[in-house]
Amino acid sequence: FPTRRSSDLFAFFCLGMGLVIGNLLGNYAYGMLIMASIFLVGLLVVFSQKKNIIENLKERLVNIIYNEE
């Protein structure tokens, strides 16, 4: 049996949430549209903060390598 990856579970969860929201709104397309807009906002936040995220990861990596905290 193939093992479940966390990305598979995340995709299933997001699809399910889109269907639940769509069911509550009475139109499945609206639920999927809301889920897509949430991902779009998240993507925009990551791209706008890309430099800060990279610098933070570099700093943490250097601290891990040299055992400084």
Side-chain angles (χ1 to χ4, degrees), residues 22-35:
N23 191 22
L24 292 174
L25 295 175
N27 189 343
Y28 291 123
Y30 290 158
M32 294 300 169
L33 182 64
I34 289 172
M35 290 303 293

Side-chain angles (χ1 to χ4, degrees), residues 1 3 5-6 11-12 14-15 18 20-21 23 25 28 32 34 36-38 45 48-49 53 58 62-63 66-68:
F1 293 103
T3 60
R5 295 185 198 145
S6 60
F12 183 73
C14 293
L15 180 64
V20 168
I21 293 169
N23 191 22
L25 295 175
Y28 291 123
M32 294 300 169
I34 289 172
S37 63
I38 290 171
V45 167
S48 68
Q49 298 296 319
I53 292 171
K58 283 182 187 178
V62 168
N63 285 340
Y66 291 110
N67 292 326
E68 298 174 3

Side-chain angles (χ1 to χ4, degrees), residues 39-50:
F39 284 117
L40 179 62
V41 168
L43 184 68
L44 292 174
V45 167
V46 168
F47 276 131
S48 68
Q49 298 296 319
K50 183 170 68 170

